[in-house]
């Protein structure tokens, strides 16, 4: 009897995450073995729910790169993983290890350490592997990950697998060399610079081989793609199909960010990035194929900033040099904090599923009415799965779609910060206008507080600001607002979608 | 004869670990090549390694003072075709 119950529980698809908004959770991961789902469950990069609670940090130990991408300018960090225009201080492996341990001891939510640059980690194999070797030994409760363009991957797979590596991200923008020739002007291969179609051919071959080798060794592989309109937009559907067939467990499509001031080839040439609609449409198209990760922040997701306050000052090299962290003690504290987070996540999941039931019953009570239309809502949050950020301080908004059936996370939208918190808000006006344009399609924006001026401007743009749900769990609050909209008769308008688009 | 790194180098580190002669120095405002140590990769590689990975056009000069990667060579698009290519790209 008991045995049967246990086996039932273990076999429940998506048992790890009941929340429908969980980008990489629920039924989308049901095809994966339990061990892999457990790995993903706490990973801020993979689980939409976990990334409210846990954080990763990156250390910049790998400055060099072995290829050129047209969306990258080597004056800055690699744009595969981080914001263009931000330069990291390059650390030695010893400095990096010290910094990671100091941050992990001070911020228990930091569970993942990634090396993603500023160049290509595997073009700097000694520095990257030395950092991993020391961390596997000194801080075994930190998961390690690495991002690469894939060129040097096949030769290093065995080395990588010796360490506490949990997953590898490969940026794959194409599987067709003719497409690749428009993205990669050259690669450095076998001690020569190789250009044109030949370069793309070699890169693609190495990427695919590396992917296959990692999967064969049981390492989780995520694939990142940069969506470049007119270059690989349609082609990414094929990429998605190919990498899934080879065993990648997630495919994350990120928008190209190209501005002339970044000094990239695309930026200077006026290559445009995708619109929010184009990005969502492509993510939808690929989602049919495989689990898609939509909450990627396309930034460092830096643990030092996770708590909504910038704590970077505490972890400068001089301050770390003075610290002598007792990591065994820190590890015990970290384990306690992680247990508390898990308990609160479980509680939130239970509360949320009750809310969904009540939305459904709302529609059942009015059988004569047509299905209420879905609504997009934006949320300002610093993490923790609750609405806790001032509108003017939000660097990004989480966008959710509320419908009669559920509340679904659909993506991030990044903004330029219009209020830096001091009184030098020089071009505040125009950045607010930009933010409003960025929220295009959303009808409600939920935040903890909002200033008088943006309130008025949002309203005139047809976006309802809402500060009534501060500190509430995001999905519950959205469900409540959606219910209120339904009760006010706002969900019945025909042509609602058209109005949303013009809002 | 020796290669030379000039202003414009972005200190990206790509060249430094590749040099067979350990001639490249981390320095500010930009990396430098020790002219006494540089062998132009003679006997080690067919192509000078620093100039084969450097991502910035014009910042590495050969022994005659000529840029190894002249404008347009790394993007693959000669400067006189930029206007035309820009129009094509902007139509995407
Ligand atoms: S040419 Fe060769 S030997 Fe001279 S600095 Fe460059 S890599 Fe070193
Ligand atoms: S590869 Fe070029 S840009 Fe990079 S450090 Fe060397 S000379 Fe400077």
């Amino acid at each position: 009897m008991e045995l049967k119950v246990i086996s039932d529980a273990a076999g429940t698809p998506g048992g790890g995450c009941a929340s429908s908004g969980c980008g990489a959770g629920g039924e989308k991961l049901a095809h994966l073995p339990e061990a892999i789902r457990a790995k993903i469950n706490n990973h801020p990069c993979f689980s939409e729910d976990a990334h409210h609670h846990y954080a990763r940090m990156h250390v910049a130990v790998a400055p060099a790169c072995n290829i050129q991408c047209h969306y990258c300018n080597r004056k800055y960090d690699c744009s595969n993983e981080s914001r263009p225009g931000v330069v990291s201080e390059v650390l030695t492996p010893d400095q990096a290890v010290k910094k990671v341990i100091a941050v992990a001891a001070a911020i228990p939510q930091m569970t993942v350490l990634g090396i993603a640059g500023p160049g290509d980690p595997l073009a700097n194999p000694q520095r990257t592997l030395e950092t991993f070797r020391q961390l596997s030994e000194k801080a075994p409760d930190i998961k390690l990950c690495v991002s690469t363009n894939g060129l040097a991957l096949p030769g290093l797979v065995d080395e990588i697998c010796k360490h506490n590596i949990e997953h590898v991200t490969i940026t794959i923008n194409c599987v067709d060399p003719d497409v690749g020739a428009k993205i990669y002007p050259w690669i450095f291969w076998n001690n020569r610079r190789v250009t044109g179609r030949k370069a793309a051919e070699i890169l693609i071959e190495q990427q695919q081989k590396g992917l296959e080798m990692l999967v064969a060794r049981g390492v989780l592989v995520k694939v990142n793609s940069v969506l470049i309109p007119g270059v690989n937009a349609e082609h990414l559907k094929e990429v998605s199909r190919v990498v899934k067939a080879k065993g990648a467990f997630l495919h994350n499509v990120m928008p190209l960010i190209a501005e002339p001031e970044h000094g990239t080839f695309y930026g200077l040439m006026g290559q445009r990035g995708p619109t929010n609609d184009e990005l969502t449409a492509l993510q939808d198209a690929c989602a049919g194929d495989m689990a898609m990760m939509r909450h990627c922040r396309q930034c460092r997701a830096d643990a030092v900033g996770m708590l909504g306050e910038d704590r970077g000052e505490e972890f400068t090299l001089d301050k770390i040099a003075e610290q002598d962290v007792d990591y065994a003690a820190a590890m015990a504290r970290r384990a306690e904090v992680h247990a508390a987070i898990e308990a609160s996540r479980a509680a939130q999941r239970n509360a949320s599923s009750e809310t969904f039931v009540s939305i459904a019953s709302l529609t059942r009570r009015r059988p004569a009415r047509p299905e209420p239309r879905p609504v997009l809502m934006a949320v300002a949050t610093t993490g923790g799965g609750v609405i806790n950020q001032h509108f003017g301080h939000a660097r990004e908004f989480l966008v959710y779609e509320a419908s009669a059936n559920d509340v679904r996370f659909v993506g991030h939208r990044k903004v330029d910060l219009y209020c830096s918190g001091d009184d030098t808000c020089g071009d505040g006006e125009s950045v607010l206008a930009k933010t409003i344009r960025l929220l295009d399609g959303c009808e409600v924006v939920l935040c903890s507080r909002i200033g008088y001026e943006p309130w008025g401007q949002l309203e005139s743009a047809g976006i309802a600001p809402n500060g009534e749900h501060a500190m509430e769990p995001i999905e519950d609050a959205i469900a409540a607002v959606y219910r209120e909209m339904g009760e006010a008769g706002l969900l019945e308008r025909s042509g609602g979608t058209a109005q949303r688009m013009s809002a | 004869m020796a290669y030379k790194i000039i202003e414009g180098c972005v200190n990206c580190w790509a060249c430094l670990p590749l040099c067979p002669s350990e001639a490249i120095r981390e320095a500010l405002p930009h990396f430098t090549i020790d002219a006494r140590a540089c062998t132009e990769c003679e006997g080690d590689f067919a192509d000078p390694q620093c100039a084969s990975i450097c991502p910035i056009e014009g910042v590495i000069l050969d022994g005659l003072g000529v840029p190894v990667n002249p404008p347009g060579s790394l993007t693959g698009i000669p400067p006189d075709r930029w206007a035309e290519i820009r129009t094509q790209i902007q139509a995407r």
Side-chain angles (χ1 to χ4, degrees), chain A residues 200-269:
Chain A
E201 208 176 287
I202 296 168
L203 178 63
I204 291 167
E205 195 184 311
Q206 292 294 104
Q207 289 172 335
Q208 296 298 321
K209 196 167 151 195
L211 167 59
E212 288 162 20
M213 290 172 77
L214 286 168
V215 170
R217 285 159 181 76
V219 178
L220 290 182
V221 183
K222 180 187 106 192
V223 170
N224 271 355
S225 300
V226 180
L227 168 55
I228 310 159
V231 175
N232 69 352
E234 275 304 302
H235 181 61
L236 285 184
K237 295 176 191 168
E238 169 74 357
V239 171
S240 204
R241 200 185 55 70
V242 171
V243 301
K244 180 194 182 183
K246 294 199 173 163
F249 85 102
L250 264 182
H251 183 207
N252 171 37
V253 177
M254 309 186 297
L256 170 73
I257 300 173
E259 300 290 344
E261 59 268 28
H262 299 150
T264 61
F265 176 79
Y266 280 155
L268 294 171
M269 288 303 223

Side-chain angles (χ1 to χ4, degrees), chain A residues 174-187:
Chain A
C174 55
V175 289
D176 173 350
D178 289 320
V179 176
K182 294 185 195 153
I183 304 172
Y184 307 104
W186 57 264
I187 65 170

Side-chain angles (χ1 to χ4, degrees), chain A residues 75 191-193 271-272, chain B residues 10 45 47 49 51 54 92:
Chain A
K75 272 183 204 160
N191 299 102
R192 309 196 92 135
R193 197 190 306 264
Q271 165 72 50
R272 69 181 181 90
Chain B
V10 297
F45 298 103
D47 298 342
Q49 294 299 285
C54 179
R92 282 173 184 166

Side-chain angles (χ1 to χ4, degrees), chain B residues 3 18-21 23-24 33 37-41 48-51:
Chain B
Y3 278 59
L18 296 177
C19 175
S21 317
I24 303 174
I33 292 173
C38 171
T39 56
E40 300 200 347
C41 291
Q49 294 299 285
C50 55

Side-chain angles (χ1 to χ4, degrees), chain A residues 6-30:
Chain A
I6 289 165
S7 79
D8 275 351
T12 306
C17 180
S19 160
S20 55
C22 205
E27 73 289 354
K28 281 180 188 153
L29 297 181

Side-chain angles (χ1 to χ4, degrees), chain A residues 63-66 68 70 74-75 90 127 182 185-186 188 191-193 229-231 265-266 268-272, chain B residues 10 12-14 17-18 45-47 49 51-56 69 74-77 82 85-86 89-90 92:
Chain A
C65 195
N66 50 8
Q68 177 71 53
H70 272 327
R74 290 311 326 280
K75 272 183 204 160
V90 175
R127 299 172 70 97
K182 294 185 195 153
W186 57 264
F188 180 77
N191 299 102
R192 309 196 92 135
R193 197 190 306 264
V231 175
F265 176 79
Y266 280 155
L268 294 171
M269 288 303 223
Q271 165 72 50
R272 69 181 181 90
Chain B
V10 297
C12 78
W13 284 83
L18 296 177
F45 298 103
D47 298 342
Q49 294 299 285
S52 300
I53 200 166
C54 179
I56 309 293
N69 302 306
L74 297 189
T75 55
I77 299 164
W82 271 52
I85 299 285
R86 183 180 276 123
I89 287 178
Q90 288 182 353
R92 282 173 184 166

Side-chain angles (χ1 to χ4, degrees), chain B residues 5 9-13 15 31 54-56 60:
Chain B
I5 297 173
C9 155
V10 297
N11 302 352
C12 78
W13 284 83
C15 56
F31 283 36
C54 179
I56 309 293
I60 298 188

